[in-house]
Structures are given as C-alpha cells and as structure tokens.
Amino acid sequence: MKMKKYILSMAFAGALIGISSCDVLDVAPTDSFTDEAVWGDLALAETYLNNCYLSVESESAEISRFSSLTDEVHQMHTYWTEHALDGTLGPDYPYFAIGYGSGKYDMWSYYYGAIKNVNYFLEHIDDVPAETEEFMKWRSDLKGQGYFLRAYFYHMLYALYGRVVLVNHTHELDSEFTETRADLDEVGNYIVSQCDSAAMYLPAVYSSEDDLGRATKGAALALKGRVLLYMASPLFGSPSSEKWQKAADANKAVIDLGVYSLQAVSSSDDYANLFLDPKNPEVIFERLYDTQYKVTANNLSFLMQAPCGTGSGFGGWCAMVPTLELVDRFQCADGTDYEIGAANEIPWNDREIRLKANVLLDGEQWGYGADRRNVEYFLPAEDGVVAGLDSRYGPAYWNATLTGFCMRKFLDPNYDTNGTQSNNTPWFILRLAEVYLNYAECQLELGNTAEALKYINMTRERALLPPAVGKDIRAEYEQERLIELCFEGQRWFDLRRWKKLEEVYSHPRYSMTIWKYKDGSKLYVRETEPIRTMTFAGEKNYWMPVPRTENEKAPQIDLLPYE
C-alpha cells in the first residue's frame, strides 16, 4: 500500500469511464482501466481510492481561504469572497461562490462529485478478490478509508449548507432522483455513523511509513468529535447537555487513543516549524504535497502569503494578509492582553511566541540562503529615506501588504522559491490541539470549568504562556482557540456555529502604516480609515446558498433559507 507513490504522484483516469476493449483489435487499452480490471485487483482499487483523496481540499492550494471571511485575514484580491463579506450571497451565479478555486466556487457540486466517486468505490470494494489474510486486511483498510472520505466530504457540506441531500449510492443515468434535503440532526447523525464505520475498519497506526497521509482510526474519531461539536452548537439546532456530552466523549476518545502528542517548543521558530513537518506527532489527518508539480495541485502558500519584495522567499502577492485586529489579539509574553502603546514603541516586542510564528513583521529576518534579509514594510517619513523593499512604495508596490503585515504560518524558510521544485509543506486538517480545544468547549458547556481549563492550558503552556485561570472562562477559551488555530480555516466555521459572525462583521478592518526616519527610528501609525467594511444580511447568511441550478434539475431540493 504505497500511499506516497500513488496519492502524490499518480493521475488515475478512466476508472469511472469503464472503457471496454476495441472490437477490431480486441486489445486492452493502455491509457485507462476497465471496471473489470479495477475491481479485480486490490492495487488498482487502491489507486482508485487514492484519486478520491485528491478531492480533500487544503487551504494552501486555494486562491481564496475561509480565514479571509473572518477577522483574521484581509484578502487583497477578493476573488468572489466579497459575496460573503458584503452580504450578497444568493442561489444565482455567481453569488453562491465564496472564492476562486475548486473548493470555494460551487462547493455543492464539488463535494457531491467527490461523494459520487467514493460511493462508487464503496459499492465495489467488497467484490475485489482478497484470498489471503494479508489481502483481507488490506481490503478492510481501504474500505475504512472510503467510509472516512465519505464522512469528510459530507462534513464539509454539513458545515457549509447544514441541510443537505444524503446520497449513499450511485445513480443510473435513467434512474429517478427523488431525494430531498435531510434535516440537520439527520445529516449530523449520518456523518457520525460513517465515522463509526470508518473507525471499525481503520488501524490506529499503519505499519509502513509509505501510508503516511491515509485516514486512521484517530482521524475517523476526530472527525466524529468535530461533527458532534457542530451538532451541539447553536447554529445547528438546540444545544443540550446530552449533545455536549456526546461531543465530549467523542473528542476524549481521540485523546485516550494515546497515539498523538503536542510537541514541545522553545521559540517562535520552533512553533512555526510544527506546521512544516508531516510527521509532527500531533497531526491526525493531513493533505500532503510532493515537490514535482504533479496531480496533487500546487501548494500556493508562498504565492498567496509571502512579502512582495525581491529575493528567494519573497515575490508574493500578499493576497492573504493578517489583520491589525488579529495582531492586537496576540497576548504579551506574561499572558496579559496587549494594550496599544505609543506610536514610537515597537508593538510586537515582548509578545507571545505565536505572534512571530504566525505573522511576518516589519524588521524580522526572512528569505532563503543569500537572500535572507529584514522584511521592509516601512514608508519614508522624510527625504533621504528609501522605501522598504516590501512596501507599497517598493519595486512590487501593487502586491504589497495592505495591513502592514504578512502571514508567516505555513511558509518554509528553507524552501528555495527560485528553484525547480514545488513547495511540499503539508496542510493539517485534523490535529490534537483542535481536539483538546473541542473537548474543552464541551466541558465548558457542561459546567466542568476545571476540566475545560486543563485542556485550554495544554495549548497555552505549549506556547510558553502562563495558564489561564478561569476569571472569564468563555472569553479565555475563545481567545485561545482564535490564536492556536489561526489561519487554519476553523474560525469562520466557529463564528457561524456560535452565531457570532454578525458581531465580527460589525467591526471594520484597519491597517498599520510604518514610517521610517533617517536615524532609523520608526513610527507605527494605526490608520483610522478602514480598508474594509463588512455587511451581514440577516440569519440566512449563516448558511451557504444552494445553487439555483440544483433546484431547477431537482425541484424537490429547496433553496431555504434564501428562498
């Protein structure tokens, strides 16, 4: 079972087509596989499944990200994210899109396409011969992965649309489609059942490193814990102690596996490096990349995040820049909240290590090899001062940051952007820190403050911060979740499930301008003119709109809450 060989390097086409041999020559095609061949050989069946993994989207492969729909990130080139930010979401083209790219444009069609492929796999995997105990174990692992992928794709639809159509089989071309959107609890319970099925088949760990990146029992249990957390949250129905307890038990089951651990760090660089290591011991499920620009899609972290100036490690579009509001939320090293100081004070001195690990600040060292230098976002405050290389007066001013910051998280300082190989930084989809925080939220809702604090403080103490004390436990929890999971695409879903998105959208986004003088001193000016205001157009904006085309094809698929 060579995961790297197949998932990361092999394009598998033709399995769905089922092309038969030519009537004249009666020879097998050399550029595709027949259904009979695929479902007659476990290796080919595995390759089909590997192709299904490619529909697991990572934010690093997208030109738009969920984090840009929150107070974390300002996306300079909006790429249709404006529909969510301006309250113009709707079922008609292009208002059902929240970004550019396969996983952000028509997400309804994208994820149902992925589900169709997995359904086809699960319908056939039991037919694949497995005559030895080793092959039966192999087939069992593949079946578990299929259940996990179906659960994962449905979890994305559930998180986005809430009520969705549950389809667990493929349809014939001439069959009648009568399914309707199921209610919220039915969808959530279905996903949980798929996670349970996956966990029943999957191993806690694989014996071979070649299987790195495949779904495991821990991945199935962690996904179940996330879905149950959603089910217990206000947006998804009526919260209850029973729902919170189920979510707590599911997340604790991941912890009790004893497979995962938080890796200790001693500096900002150590913390930043956690997100570059595919073998990080806290990773539960991740999307991997190779270095050869193949079928796994490109990792666009450097293009979207890096400062715009010259040099290897630079040349970015600054399309995803941290907001001033987020930078202000990182605490001081002593665990107290940051308080805005005088304009001549460097605002990121004596702050917690996660600030410099997540945000690339003016004056910090960056770049690869001989191109390593100080990042320069500053503007000239007087004649004789040359504008910073990465500033809006610099050589690539059109791509310079609009907020005064760039995103460091997910950028590898050892990657040569002038080289011939692609960036292979992984994308973590499920990790132990999230599970700890999920469990803490459940305990918080159940009234178990001490247990909640215990797990909140596991991530705080890993970040070298003193423990939270529970003075305002809900605020402390939300603070820790924001910072620990920042830029990972979780906050938009959190704000929606808490029904707090409207509150966040009521605050405009602002920027910082850095002015440099001849003597090298700088002023850090907080601009009063917002760079972006957001609009929340009522409760319906908590859900993504189903495209009208789906209703036109199948009128029983309603367009609520939009129509």
Side-chain angles (χ1 to χ4, degrees):
M1 290 178 281
K2 304 297 185 183
M3 188 271 182
K4 285 186 177 178
K5 176 181 177 183
Y6 289 124
I7 292 184
L8 299 185
S9 303
M10 184 173 183
F12 183 70
L16 282 175
I17 301 173
I19 301 174
S20 62
S21 59
C22 175
D23 290 336
V24 177
L25 298 178
D26 196 26
V27 295
T30 59
D31 62 347
S32 61
F33 297 98
T34 65
D35 277 7
E36 182 180 5
V38 172
W39 309 120
D41 186 301
L42 266 177
L44 288 179
E46 180 183 62
T47 307
Y48 178 95
L49 179 68
N50 292 345
N51 197 60
C52 294
Y53 271 94
L54 298 181
S55 294
V56 176
E57 281 289 304
S58 74
E59 296 285 86
S60 56
E62 292 283 292
I63 293 180
S64 303
R65 298 185 186 176
F66 290 124
S67 56
S68 68
L69 306 178
T70 72
D71 49 357
E72 299 171 280
V73 168
H74 178 76
Q75 185 163 333
M76 179 167 66
H77 312 294
T78 54
Y79 294 125
W80 291 330
T81 58
E82 66 270 18
H83 300 315
L85 297 171
D86 295 345
T88 56
L89 288 170
D92 295 301
Y93 172 85
Y95 301 107
F96 52 72
I98 55 170
Y100 183 83
S102 54
K104 297 292 189 300
Y105 175 60
D106 184 353
M107 295 177 291
W108 181 276
S109 296
Y110 179 82
Y111 285 111
Y112 274 114
I115 289 165
K116 178 194 69 175
N117 292 338
V118 177
N119 284 345
Y120 192 72
F121 170 83
L122 288 171
E123 287 173 355
H124 291 84
I125 184 60
D126 284 336
D127 298 330
V128 183
E131 298 175 353
T132 67
E133 184 175 342
E134 179 185 3
F135 272 60
M136 285 189 285
K137 175 63 169 64
W138 184 4
R139 186 174 65 185
S140 178
D141 288 349
L142 296 179
K143 190 172 182 177
Q145 292 171 55
Y147 278 119
F148 172 83
L149 288 174
R150 184 156 68 186
Y152 181 80
F153 297 138
Y154 264 116
H155 129 273
M156 288 302 301
L157 288 171
Y158 178 60
L160 292 162
Y161 300 94
R163 296 169 50 250
V164 296
V165 180
L166 295 176
V167 182
N168 61 4
H169 61 281
T170 55
H171 286 76
E172 299 294 333
L173 289 177
D174 58 351
S175 63
E176 184 179 4
F177 186 87
T178 60
E179 287 88 342
T180 61
R181 295 173 71 182
D183 66 34
L184 286 168
D185 281 350
E186 186 180 355
V187 177
N189 287 329
Y190 175 75
I191 300 168
V192 168
S193 74
Q194 298 301 289
C195 290
D196 286 339
S197 295
M200 180 175 65
Y201 287 105
L202 290 171
V205 295
Y206 289 96
S207 58
S208 172
E209 286 194 359
D210 287 337
D211 289 309
L212 179 67
R214 292 193 182 278
T216 60
K217 182 185 294 291
L221 295 177
L223 183 61
K224 175 182 176 179
R226 182 190 284 178
V227 171
L228 285 168
L229 181 79
Y230 283 22
M231 289 184 71
S233 300
L235 180 64
F236 289 82
S238 300
S240 67
S241 295
E242 181 184 8
K243 287 182 177 180
W244 285 115
Q245 189 62 58
K246 285 183 178 179
D249 293 343
N251 283 286
K252 189 62 161 55
V254 182
I255 298 168
D256 290 344
L257 281 176
V259 173
Y260 312 103
S261 61
L262 294 186
Q263 185 168 307
V265 300
S266 60
S267 66
S268 291
D269 286 344
D270 283 352
Y271 184 89
N273 288 338
L274 293 175
F275 298 91
L276 309 178
D277 180 9
K279 297 181 181 179
N280 179 334
E282 76 169 287
V283 176
I284 301 172
F285 185 60
E286 60 188 321
R287 172 68 188 266
L288 298 175
Y289 292 90
D290 66 6
T291 60
Q292 300 300 321
Y293 291 108
K294 293 193 177 178
V295 296
T296 55
N298 294 339
N299 186 323
L300 301 179
S301 294
F302 274 86
L303 183 65
M304 294 292 105
Q305 298 176 207
C308 66
T310 57
S312 182
F314 296 83
W317 290 0
C318 292
M320 308 286 176
V321 290
T323 64
L324 178 58
E325 293 70 37
L326 175 71
V327 172
D328 286 344
R329 291 289 296 273
F330 286 87
Q331 293 182 325
C332 299
D334 63 3
T336 59
D337 291 339
Y338 169 70
E339 295 183 4
I340 299 169
N344 61 352
E345 294 177 4
I346 301 176
W348 31 88
N349 282 351
D350 301 317
R351 303 283 287 277
E352 63 160 294
I353 64 169
R354 288 180 294 190
L355 174 57
K356 291 183 179 180
N358 285 286
V359 181
L360 202 48
L361 304 159
D362 180 78
E364 291 296 301
Q365 286 276 302
W366 188 251
Y368 174 79
D371 288 322
R372 188 171 176 82
R373 60 172 173 80
N374 288 346
V375 174
E376 301 177 349
Y377 305 134
F378 57 80
L379 303 180
E382 54 186 338
D383 290 342
V385 179
V386 178
L389 287 173
D390 313 299
S391 75
R392 297 201 68 79
Y393 288 6
Y397 60 88
W398 57 91
N399 275 337
T401 174
L402 284 174
T403 64
F405 313 99
C406 283
M407 191 191 305
R408 178 184 175 183
K409 196 172 189 177
F410 320 122
L411 295 187
D412 185 353
N414 297 311
Y415 171 58
D416 182 2
T417 57
N418 292 331
T420 58
Q421 292 190 325
S422 171
N423 172 32
N424 66 344
T425 299
W427 182 266
F428 300 162
I429 294 169
L430 294 163
R431 64 184 181 100
L432 185 60
E434 182 201 339
V435 174
Y436 281 166
L437 293 169
N438 290 350
Y439 180 67
E441 182 174 341
C442 297
Q443 294 300 328
L444 182 62
E445 293 293 340
L446 291 167
N448 302 325
T449 302
E451 185 75 351
L453 274 173
K454 174 183 175 182
Y455 285 89
I456 292 169
N457 287 329
M458 285 185 178
T459 59
R460 284 181 63 83
E461 290 169 2
R462 196 263 293 273
L464 309 183
L465 283 173
V469 297
K471 184 178 180 180
D472 184 349
I473 183 67
R474 182 71 201 195
E476 289 169 302
Y477 168 72
E478 291 190 17
Q479 162 71 20
E480 183 57 22
R481 191 173 181 96
L482 165 64
I483 299 303
E484 177 61 28
L485 302 181
C486 78
F487 307 144
E488 294 180 40
Q490 295 291 336
R491 184 160 174 78
W492 187 62
F493 294 98
D494 287 339
L495 291 172
R496 290 169 61 245
R497 66 183 179 84
W498 293 333
K499 301 190 78 171
K500 291 187 175 183
L501 193 62
E502 182 174 10
E503 175 186 329
V504 168
Y505 277 24
S506 68
H507 300 287
R509 295 175 184 169
Y510 295 93
S511 62
M512 174 175 283
T513 301
I514 304 166
W515 297 97
K516 183 178 179 180
Y517 291 86
K518 288 181 182 179
D519 62 5
S521 64
K522 295 176 181 176
L523 280 182
Y524 302 86
V525 177
R526 305 170 68 88
E527 299 296 341
T528 57
E529 185 71 23
I531 58 172
R532 178 90 205 193
T533 58
M534 284 80 73
T535 300
F536 189 82
E539 287 286 306
K540 65 181 182 182
N541 276 180
Y542 276 116
W543 298 112
M544 286 299 300
V546 176
R548 187 180 303 279
T549 52
E550 299 301 320
N551 173 261
E552 291 172 345
K553 289 184 291 186
Q556 74 275 16
I557 298 178
D558 67 79
L559 300 179
L560 294 173
Y562 287 84
E563 292 183 7

